């Protein structure tokens, strides 16, 4: 198997990455998916006690009001807004040009913020309001990608967001977007870990200077990499936890990373990834773990094997795997 093409030492201790806009994105952020009512406490703990400056959330997570409470508490504790990097996402039912600004204003209200540092298209599929999961026939609507992106660009011009980007895109969809974009996406957020390295998208983004944020860096419930024998061997060798090794692997690869947790000890543990390095040989060993995309969430959300329009995981990902 080919070795990682990136220099794993180049970004070894990067606490920030610089985006196309010049804005800096912290290399480790707190993910808030499935945080529930614990989101406020988790966010405040992460920022005030653990030193996080990057928080990632989304309208679809249903926790933005709680995240907003946590952000407010952190700022009341003395953390300046300009020192924080807050990311949210535009959900599929709002993927229409006339709904973009309304959606971001609702998000800002829930988060109790005047602006976002980063706003992302959550998934590149437009769903009808109230669509089933997976959607029934007629519930996946035409997605005016170019029109929606133009509205996203206007959010930057209006000062509502500093940077815009995409999530869960394929190379095909990214190339389509770039043909009309006046503002190139600053960030592409995608699933990425040693068990699904997503090399094609990583290299496509690198080509255009688009920064990549890795979600699910520890693997998934179907394949939790913290228990993988390769990961645990490297962790024991370095006297680190498996989670720390996986997060560090992502940073050394040149990506920011958003591990999620609502437990204080793990939140603190997950950001203890600086001032040490995964040696080259161990980095390459981690990069040869068998690839296996986590497909469950995408299937649950969008794949309807009977009615389509996406009848398989391969169709969902433009047959790029």
């Amino acid at each position: 198997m080919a070795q990682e093409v990136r220099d794993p030492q180049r970004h070894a201790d990067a606490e920030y990455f610089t985006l196309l806009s010049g804005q800096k994105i912290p290399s480790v952020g707190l993910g808030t998916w499935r945080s529930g009512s614990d989101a406020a406490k988790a966010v405040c703990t992460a920022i005030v006690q653990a030193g996080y400056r990057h928080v990632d959330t989304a309208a679809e997570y249903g926790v933005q009001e709680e995240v907003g409470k946590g952000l407010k508490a952190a700022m009341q504790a003395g953390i300046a807004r300009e020192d924080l990097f807050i990311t949210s996402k535009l959900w599929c039912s709002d993927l229409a040009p006339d709904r973009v600004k309304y959606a971001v204003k609702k998000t800002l209200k829930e988060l109790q913020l005047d602006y976002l540092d980063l706003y992302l298209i959550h998934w590149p599929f437009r769903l009808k309001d109230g669509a089933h999961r997976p959607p029934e026939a007629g519930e996946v609507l035409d997605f005016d990608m170019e029109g929606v992106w133009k509205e996203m660009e206007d959010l930057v011009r209006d000062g509502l967001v500093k940077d815009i980007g995409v999530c869960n895109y394929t190379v095909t969809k990214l190339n389509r977007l770039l043909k009309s974009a006046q503002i190139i996406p600053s960030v592409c957020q995608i699933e990425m870990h040693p068990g699904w390295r997503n090399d094609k998208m990583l290299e496509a983004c690198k080509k255009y200077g688009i920064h990549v944020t890795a979600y699910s860096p520890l693997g998934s419930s179907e394949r939790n990499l913290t228990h993988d024998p390769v990961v645990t061997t490297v962790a024991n060798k370095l006297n680190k936890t498996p989670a720390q090794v996986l997060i560090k692997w992502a940073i050394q690869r040149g990506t920011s990373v958003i591990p999620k947790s609502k437990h204080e000890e793990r939140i603190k543990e997950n950001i203890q990834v600086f001032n040490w390095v995964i040696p080259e040989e161990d980095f390459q060993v981690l990069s040869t773990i068998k690839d296996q995309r986590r497909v469950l969430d995408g299937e649950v959300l969008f794949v309807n094997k009977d009615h389509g329009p996406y009848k398989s995981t391969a169709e969902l990902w433009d047959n790029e795997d």
Side-chain angles (χ1 to χ4, degrees):
M1 183 175 292
Q3 288 193 331
E4 268 289 326
V5 297
R6 293 179 167 228
D7 177 1
Q9 307 306 315
R10 179 184 174 193
H11 304 289
D13 227 26
E15 294 188 27
Y16 296 87
F17 293 97
T18 302
L19 304 180
L20 288 168
S21 65
Q23 187 179 201
K24 295 183 182 298
I25 182 172
S27 56
V28 180
L30 178 73
T32 59
W33 181 53
R34 291 184 174 175
S35 294
S37 59
D38 295 318
K41 182 180 178 181
V43 167
C44 189
T45 295
I47 296 171
V48 177
Q49 297 185 35
Y52 286 71
R53 293 296 179 263
H54 179 185
V55 176
D56 180 276
T57 191
E60 178 61 13
Y61 299 166
V63 297
Q64 289 194 144
E65 289 187 352
E66 290 300 311
V67 170
K69 292 176 184 177
L71 294 174
K72 183 177 181 180
M75 286 185 274
Q76 288 176 337
I79 306 300
R81 169 65 183 97
E82 56 267 27
D83 291 335
L84 297 175
F85 189 101
I86 311 302
T87 300
S88 189
K89 309 177 188 79
L90 178 68
W91 183 241
C92 302
S93 56
D94 288 319
L95 282 184
D98 62 348
R99 298 183 70 160
V100 173
K101 185 170 286 189
Y102 167 81
V104 78
K105 286 185 175 180
K106 185 173 185 291
T107 281
L108 289 171
K109 182 178 180 180
E110 290 176 345
L111 294 175
Q112 303 183 57
L113 298 175
D114 296 324
Y115 68 91
L116 291 173
D117 297 276
L118 179 63
Y119 198 44
L120 305 171
I121 291 175
H122 203 154
W123 286 87
F125 311 105
R126 184 185 172 198
L127 295 179
K128 184 177 180 180
D129 285 326
H132 294 82
R133 300 189 182 187
E136 298 292 334
E139 292 183 343
V140 177
L141 308 176
D142 289 337
F143 172 28
D144 178 5
M145 185 186 297
E146 293 76 12
V148 166
W149 190 253
K150 183 179 182 299
E151 292 298 317
M152 295 280 283
E153 293 173 333
D154 284 345
L155 298 181
V156 177
R157 298 185 183 105
D158 292 343
L160 294 173
V161 305
K162 287 190 174 183
D163 276 288
I164 50 177
V166 298
C167 297
N168 301 305
Y169 264 49
T170 59
V171 176
T172 299
K173 289 183 174 67
L174 181 63
N175 286 336
R176 174 185 163 185
L177 176 60
L178 291 174
K179 288 180 180 178
S180 64
Q182 293 184 22
I183 298 177
I184 295 176
S186 292
V187 173
C188 178
Q189 187 181 121
I190 48 180
E191 178 188 359
M192 192 176 286
H193 45 72
W196 175 245
R197 292 180 288 282
N198 219 333
D199 293 316
K200 290 180 181 179
M201 274 303 297
L202 185 63
E203 290 309 309
C205 289
K206 180 183 177 183
K207 177 181 177 181
Y208 296 106
I210 300 169
H211 176 71
V212 171
T213 295
Y215 73 74
S216 294
L218 311 186
S220 65
S221 57
E222 294 77 43
R223 191 185 184 195
N224 186 339
L225 291 176
T226 61
H227 302 305
D228 187 284
V230 174
V231 177
T232 55
T233 296
V234 173
N236 290 335
K237 175 182 175 180
L238 300 179
N239 196 28
K240 303 296 178 184
T241 68
Q244 288 171 333
V245 166
L246 290 164
I247 292 165
K248 187 68 172 185
W249 177 87
I251 295 171
Q252 288 189 213
R253 206 169 183 230
T255 67
S256 55
V257 62
I258 45 172
K260 63 180 179 66
S261 182
K262 53 188 179 181
H263 303 290
E264 182 175 336
E265 287 186 9
R266 291 177 187 170
I267 289 171
K268 292 178 178 179
E269 171 191 306
N270 287 344
I271 202 169
Q272 300 303 312
V273 291
F274 303 107
N275 302 314
W276 58 276
V277 176
I278 299 174
E280 172 81 20
E281 62 273 18
D282 296 313
F283 181 91
Q284 295 297 344
V285 167
L286 291 167
S287 300
T288 56
I289 291 175
K290 184 178 179 182
D291 258 349
Q292 179 180 320
R293 178 194 285 276
R294 178 176 62 83
V295 299
L296 182 61
D297 287 340
E299 286 186 345
V300 168
L301 288 172
F302 304 110
V303 175
N304 189 321
K305 297 178 181 179
D306 296 321
H307 305 300
Y310 306 104
K311 295 185 178 181
S312 69
T313 301
E315 288 183 7
L316 187 71
W317 296 104
D318 294 329
N319 296 292
E320 289 185 4
D321 287 3

